[in-house]
Amino acid sequence: MTRTRRFSTDRLAFIDYKDVELLKRFVTDRGKIVPRRQSGITAAEQRRLTKAIKRARHLALLPFTAESVR
Amino acid sequence: MRHYEATIVLDPGLGEDGLSRHVERIKDAIKKQGGELLVEERWGMRTLAYQIQKRDQGYYVILEWEGPGELIAELDRILRLDENVLRHLIITLDPKELAVREEQRQRRAAGEGDRPRRGRDDDENEDEISSDIDEDEDDLAPRAIPVVEEVLEDVQAPEEEESDEEAVEDDESDGEEADEKEEA
């Protein structure tokens, strides 16, 4: 991984699926989940994040797909 | 006694009274099964990220309680069968998660950000992540490579595009999840 990691693990120890503000930052404008190599978060964090995002999508807090701004 | 949290999305068409009554009914169901309600959070009306049963908004309620495990199956059944419940999600929070969550909340309240101080510069960079994500390149290879290596990028480009598909997304499973829960 070439990008310096920005987050230490403690930051994302608990990722709340209800925390839309936080979740939104790890999702592209199309609604896709950002890959680790771009976000720089750890594997464990990514797993928690993904679970949270998918739950949020189920509750319609986040879209599955979003139209990107043209 | 385990700690549970449920998020419920109700049909806004119920009207204020209808909604309140409904929430009470759900809370009663929890209590009747031996649950002790801890938190009731009402987010109220919210615009949905996508239409559910032709509706654009939903009434969100969050409940936290402690109770026996058997309660869950019953509560889930009730929520699934209720036509006014558009979506629901019940999760179990184990003591460890609770502790971490509590800690995070206190830290945030104290204005410290989500991380204990480590004396590193990147404490100030908490928000940089969003600017790092190059949103224009959404469907191309997301680049996390510093300028120095740009010369090599062209060579690697074809490989990069293939490995791109390793993105965390598993679109199929998302679709399945959505379908399963919509039967309510």
Side-chain angles (χ1 to χ4, degrees):
Chain A
M1 239 201 31
T2 45
R3 181 175 290 281
T4 326
R5 198 165 294 141
R6 284 174 198 280
F7 300 110
S8 60
T9 315
D10 292 318
R11 164 154 188 148
L12 299 176
F14 177 82
I15 305 182
D16 193 354
Y17 62 92
K18 302 191 291 299
D19 190 347
V20 179
E21 289 311 307
L22 172 66
L23 262 31
K24 257 202 295 195
R25 296 201 263 156
F26 294 91
V27 157
T28 71
D29 59 335
R30 273 270 194 83
K32 298 160 87 161
I33 301 178
V34 174
R36 264 187 74 206
R37 88 173 99 117
Q38 204 171 312
S39 61
I41 69 177
T42 71
E45 287 169 341
Q46 181 79 353
R47 287 194 298 272
R48 277 181 240 128
L49 176 68
T50 297
K51 193 141 195 84
I53 289 177
K54 290 184 176 180
R55 280 176 177 169
R57 285 174 173 172
H58 167 65
L59 291 171
L61 295 170
L62 284 177
F64 284 90
T65 274
E67 292 308 309
S68 52
V69 181
R70 308 255 161 184
Chain B
M1 274 312 197
R2 292 168 129 199
H3 197 109
Y4 297 100
E5 173 186 275
T7 305
I8 303 171
V9 187
L10 294 164
D11 183 356
L14 283 175
E16 237 185 81
D17 300 318
L19 284 167
S20 287
R21 258 183 291 131
H22 224 81
V23 174
E24 291 306 315
R25 219 182 305 165
I26 295 174
K27 282 159 64 181
D28 287 337
I30 294 177
K31 279 181 242 167
K32 226 184 308 178
Q33 305 270 333
E36 184 197 324
L37 202 62
L38 297 171
V39 175
E40 175 187 343
E41 212 181 297
R42 301 230 191 165
W43 282 7
M45 293 287 259
R46 239 191 104 97
T47 307
L48 304 173
Y50 49 88
Q51 276 193 351
I52 298 180
Q53 297 187 14
K54 307 295 186 250
R55 290 160 188 78
D56 299 304
Q57 294 197 313
Y59 190 85
Y60 284 75
V61 183
I62 298 165
L63 301 169
E64 268 185 56
W65 71 90
E66 283 191 351
E70 301 78 33
L71 185 164
I72 301 307
E74 185 57 24
L75 181 63
D76 184 67
R77 190 189 68 94
I78 294 175
L79 292 174
R80 246 185 310 126
L81 294 177
D82 190 337
E83 312 104 19
N84 298 117
V85 173
L86 300 175
R87 287 281 200 274
H88 71 276
L89 178 68
I90 304 172
I91 66 176
T92 309
L93 295 171
D94 64 47
K96 200 174 11 141
E97 289 172 315
L98 284 172
V100 176
R101 187 174 73 160
E102 209 28 56
E103 215 181 291
Q104 267 192 5
R105 286 196 180 160
Q106 283 170 11
R107 261 195 247 125
R108 274 193 212 173
E112 282 179 26
D114 294 336
R115 213 177 351 146
R117 288 263 166 262
R118 280 197 171 198
R120 285 209 254 159
D121 298 10
D122 37 5
D123 276 357
E124 295 134 27
N125 293 352
E126 283 182 14
D127 286 323
E128 264 191 46
I129 190 94
S130 19
S131 53
D132 287 343
I133 300 173
D134 189 349
E135 301 196 350
D136 291 334
E137 292 196 4
D138 200 356
D139 290 315
L140 305 177
R143 300 281 164 77
I145 306 171
V147 178
V148 174
E149 293 176 25
E150 226 144 36
V151 175
L152 296 174
E153 278 182 9
D154 290 341
V155 175
Q156 295 171 8
E159 282 172 12
E160 282 232 23
E161 291 190 8
E162 280 172 44
S163 65
D164 211 9
E165 291 317 298
E166 66 169 283
V168 179
E169 290 279 356
D170 182 358
D171 290 320
E172 284 185 20
S173 67
D174 282 342
E176 282 171 18
E177 279 179 10
D179 287 343
E180 270 173 15
K181 309 258 161 99
E182 272 196 49
E183 73 190 24

Short mmCIF file of all heavy atoms in Angstrom, two decimals, chain A residues 6-31:
data_model
loop_
_atom_site.label_atom_id
_atom_site.label_comp_id
_atom_site.label_asym_id
_atom_site.label_seq_id
_atom_site.Cartn_x
_atom_site.Cartn_y
_atom_site.Cartn_z
N ARG A 6 -4.31 6.96 7.22
CA ARG A 6 -4.71 8.13 7.98
C ARG A 6 -5.37 7.84 9.28
O ARG A 6 -5.45 8.70 10.14
CB ARG A 6 -5.64 8.97 7.12
CG ARG A 6 -4.85 9.66 6.12
CD ARG A 6 -5.59 10.41 5.10
NE ARG A 6 -4.66 10.63 4.01
CZ ARG A 6 -3.74 11.59 4.05
NH1 ARG A 6 -3.68 12.40 5.07
NH2 ARG A 6 -2.90 11.72 3.06
N PHE A 7 -5.86 6.66 9.42
CA PHE A 7 -6.58 6.37 10.66
C PHE A 7 -5.88 5.30 11.47
O PHE A 7 -5.43 4.32 10.93
CB PHE A 7 -7.98 5.85 10.34
CG PHE A 7 -8.80 6.82 9.56
CD1 PHE A 7 -9.12 6.57 8.25
CD2 PHE A 7 -9.26 7.97 10.15
CE1 PHE A 7 -9.87 7.47 7.54
CE2 PHE A 7 -10.02 8.87 9.44
CZ PHE A 7 -10.33 8.62 8.13
N SER A 8 -5.82 5.52 12.73
CA SER A 8 -5.34 4.43 13.57
C SER A 8 -6.56 3.61 13.95
O SER A 8 -7.68 4.07 13.85
CB SER A 8 -4.65 4.98 14.81
OG SER A 8 -5.55 5.75 15.56
N THR A 9 -6.35 2.45 14.39
CA THR A 9 -7.46 1.52 14.58
C THR A 9 -8.52 2.01 15.56
O THR A 9 -9.68 1.81 15.35
CB THR A 9 -6.93 0.17 15.08
OG1 THR A 9 -5.81 -0.17 14.29
CG2 THR A 9 -8.00 -0.88 14.95
N ASP A 10 -8.11 2.67 16.61
CA ASP A 10 -9.08 3.05 17.63
C ASP A 10 -10.21 3.89 17.08
O ASP A 10 -11.30 3.89 17.58
CB ASP A 10 -8.38 3.85 18.75
CG ASP A 10 -7.44 2.97 19.52
OD1 ASP A 10 -7.83 1.83 19.81
OD2 ASP A 10 -6.34 3.41 19.81
N ARG A 11 -9.92 4.57 16.05
CA ARG A 11 -10.93 5.48 15.53
C ARG A 11 -12.17 4.73 15.09
O ARG A 11 -13.28 5.14 15.31
CB ARG A 11 -10.38 6.22 14.34
CG ARG A 11 -11.49 6.86 13.57
CD ARG A 11 -11.03 8.05 12.83
NE ARG A 11 -12.17 8.71 12.27
CZ ARG A 11 -12.23 10.02 12.11
NH1 ARG A 11 -11.24 10.76 12.48
NH2 ARG A 11 -13.29 10.56 11.57
N LEU A 12 -11.97 3.61 14.44
CA LEU A 12 -13.13 2.92 13.89
C LEU A 12 -13.40 1.61 14.62
O LEU A 12 -13.76 0.62 14.02
CB LEU A 12 -12.92 2.67 12.40
CG LEU A 12 -12.75 3.96 11.59
CD1 LEU A 12 -12.44 3.63 10.13
CD2 LEU A 12 -13.98 4.82 11.67
N ALA A 13 -13.18 1.64 15.91
CA ALA A 13 -13.39 0.42 16.67
C ALA A 13 -14.85 0.01 16.65
O ALA A 13 -15.17 -1.16 16.58
CB ALA A 13 -12.90 0.61 18.10
N PHE A 14 -15.72 0.99 16.75
CA PHE A 14 -17.14 0.68 16.63
C PHE A 14 -17.73 1.55 15.54
O PHE A 14 -17.71 2.77 15.63
CB PHE A 14 -17.86 0.95 17.96
CG PHE A 14 -19.34 0.72 17.85
CD1 PHE A 14 -19.86 -0.56 17.96
CD2 PHE A 14 -20.22 1.77 17.63
CE1 PHE A 14 -21.23 -0.78 17.85
CE2 PHE A 14 -21.59 1.56 17.51
CZ PHE A 14 -22.10 0.27 17.62
N ILE A 15 -18.22 0.92 14.51
CA ILE A 15 -18.81 1.68 13.42
C ILE A 15 -20.31 1.49 13.44
O ILE A 15 -20.81 0.40 13.22
CB ILE A 15 -18.24 1.20 12.06
CG1 ILE A 15 -16.73 1.29 12.11
CG2 ILE A 15 -18.80 2.02 10.93
CD1 ILE A 15 -16.05 0.89 10.83
N ASP A 16 -21.00 2.57 13.73
CA ASP A 16 -22.45 2.50 13.86
C ASP A 16 -23.11 2.59 12.49
O ASP A 16 -22.86 3.54 11.74
CB ASP A 16 -22.91 3.65 14.74
CG ASP A 16 -24.34 3.48 15.19
OD1 ASP A 16 -24.99 2.53 14.72
OD2 ASP A 16 -24.81 4.31 15.99
N TYR A 17 -23.96 1.63 12.18
CA TYR A 17 -24.62 1.65 10.89
C TYR A 17 -25.55 2.85 10.78
O TYR A 17 -26.00 3.22 9.71
CB TYR A 17 -25.40 0.36 10.67
CG TYR A 17 -26.49 0.14 11.69
CD1 TYR A 17 -27.78 0.58 11.45
CD2 TYR A 17 -26.24 -0.50 12.89
CE1 TYR A 17 -28.79 0.39 12.38
CE2 TYR A 17 -27.23 -0.68 13.83
CZ TYR A 17 -28.52 -0.24 13.58
OH TYR A 17 -29.49 -0.41 14.50
N LYS A 18 -25.85 3.47 11.94
CA LYS A 18 -26.76 4.61 11.90
C LYS A 18 -26.01 5.91 11.66
O LYS A 18 -26.62 6.95 11.42
CB LYS A 18 -27.51 4.71 13.22
CG LYS A 18 -28.30 3.45 13.55
CD LYS A 18 -29.24 3.64 14.69
CE LYS A 18 -28.54 3.82 16.03
NZ LYS A 18 -27.72 2.67 16.44
N ASP A 19 -24.70 5.85 11.72
CA ASP A 19 -23.90 7.05 11.58
C ASP A 19 -23.67 7.37 10.11
O ASP A 19 -22.60 7.12 9.57
CB ASP A 19 -22.56 6.82 12.30
CG ASP A 19 -21.77 8.09 12.42
OD1 ASP A 19 -22.10 9.09 11.76
OD2 ASP A 19 -20.77 8.07 13.17
N VAL A 20 -24.71 7.92 9.50
CA VAL A 20 -24.67 8.15 8.06
C VAL A 20 -23.54 9.09 7.65
O VAL A 20 -22.90 8.91 6.63
CB VAL A 20 -26.03 8.71 7.58
CG1 VAL A 20 -26.00 8.98 6.10
CG2 VAL A 20 -27.12 7.73 7.92
N GLU A 21 -23.29 10.08 8.46
CA GLU A 21 -22.24 11.05 8.13
C GLU A 21 -20.90 10.35 7.97
O GLU A 21 -20.16 10.60 7.04
CB GLU A 21 -22.14 12.12 9.23
CG GLU A 21 -23.31 13.07 9.25
CD GLU A 21 -23.60 13.62 7.87
OE1 GLU A 21 -22.68 14.15 7.22
OE2 GLU A 21 -24.75 13.51 7.43
N LEU A 22 -20.61 9.48 8.90
CA LEU A 22 -19.34 8.76 8.83
C LEU A 22 -19.33 7.82 7.64
O LEU A 22 -18.38 7.79 6.85
CB LEU A 22 -19.13 7.96 10.12
CG LEU A 22 -17.94 7.02 10.11
CD1 LEU A 22 -16.66 7.81 10.04
CD2 LEU A 22 -17.93 6.13 11.34
N LEU A 23 -20.40 7.08 7.50
CA LEU A 23 -20.46 6.09 6.42
C LEU A 23 -20.35 6.73 5.05
O LEU A 23 -19.68 6.20 4.17
CB LEU A 23 -21.79 5.33 6.52
CG LEU A 23 -21.82 3.97 7.20
CD1 LEU A 23 -20.79 3.86 8.30
CD2 LEU A 23 -23.19 3.70 7.76
N LYS A 24 -20.96 7.87 4.90
CA LYS A 24 -20.97 8.51 3.60
C LYS A 24 -19.57 8.79 3.07
O LYS A 24 -19.34 8.87 1.88
CB LYS A 24 -21.73 9.85 3.70
CG LYS A 24 -23.12 9.79 3.14
CD LYS A 24 -23.66 11.13 2.77
CE LYS A 24 -23.83 12.02 3.98
NZ LYS A 24 -24.68 13.19 3.68
N ARG A 25 -18.64 8.98 3.99
CA ARG A 25 -17.30 9.33 3.57
C ARG A 25 -16.58 8.16 2.91
O ARG A 25 -15.56 8.33 2.26
CB ARG A 25 -16.48 9.81 4.76
CG ARG A 25 -17.07 11.09 5.34
CD ARG A 25 -16.02 11.81 6.14
NE ARG A 25 -16.14 11.52 7.54
CZ ARG A 25 -15.14 11.64 8.39
NH1 ARG A 25 -13.95 12.00 7.98
NH2 ARG A 25 -15.32 11.37 9.66
N PHE A 26 -17.10 6.97 3.12
CA PHE A 26 -16.42 5.80 2.56
C PHE A 26 -17.18 5.20 1.39
O PHE A 26 -17.00 4.04 1.04
CB PHE A 26 -16.24 4.74 3.65
CG PHE A 26 -15.30 5.18 4.74
CD1 PHE A 26 -15.77 5.82 5.85
CD2 PHE A 26 -13.94 4.96 4.61
CE1 PHE A 26 -14.91 6.25 6.85
CE2 PHE A 26 -13.06 5.37 5.60
CZ PHE A 26 -13.54 6.01 6.72
N VAL A 27 -18.00 6.05 0.82
CA VAL A 27 -18.82 5.60 -0.29
C VAL A 27 -18.64 6.58 -1.43
O VAL A 27 -18.55 7.78 -1.21
CB VAL A 27 -20.30 5.55 0.20
CG1 VAL A 27 -21.25 5.64 -0.96
CG2 VAL A 27 -20.56 4.31 0.99
N THR A 28 -18.55 6.10 -2.65
CA THR A 28 -18.35 7.01 -3.78
C THR A 28 -19.64 7.75 -4.10
O THR A 28 -20.69 7.47 -3.53
CB THR A 28 -17.93 6.25 -5.05
OG1 THR A 28 -19.05 5.50 -5.53
CG2 THR A 28 -16.78 5.31 -4.75
N ASP A 29 -19.56 8.67 -5.04
CA ASP A 29 -20.77 9.42 -5.37
C ASP A 29 -21.78 8.53 -6.08
O ASP A 29 -22.96 8.87 -6.20
CB ASP A 29 -20.43 10.64 -6.23
CG ASP A 29 -19.76 10.25 -7.51
OD1 ASP A 29 -19.14 9.17 -7.54
OD2 ASP A 29 -19.83 11.01 -8.48
N ARG A 30 -21.31 7.38 -6.54
CA ARG A 30 -22.26 6.43 -7.15
C ARG A 30 -22.87 5.50 -6.11
O ARG A 30 -23.66 4.63 -6.41
CB ARG A 30 -21.53 5.56 -8.18
CG ARG A 30 -21.46 6.16 -9.55
CD ARG A 30 -22.68 5.77 -10.38
NE ARG A 30 -22.47 6.06 -11.77
CZ ARG A 30 -21.82 5.26 -12.60
NH1 ARG A 30 -21.35 4.12 -12.15
NH2 ARG A 30 -21.67 5.60 -13.86
N GLY A 31 -22.39 5.68 -4.87
CA GLY A 31 -22.91 4.83 -3.81
C GLY A 31 -22.10 3.59 -3.55
O GLY A 31 -22.44 2.78 -2.69
#
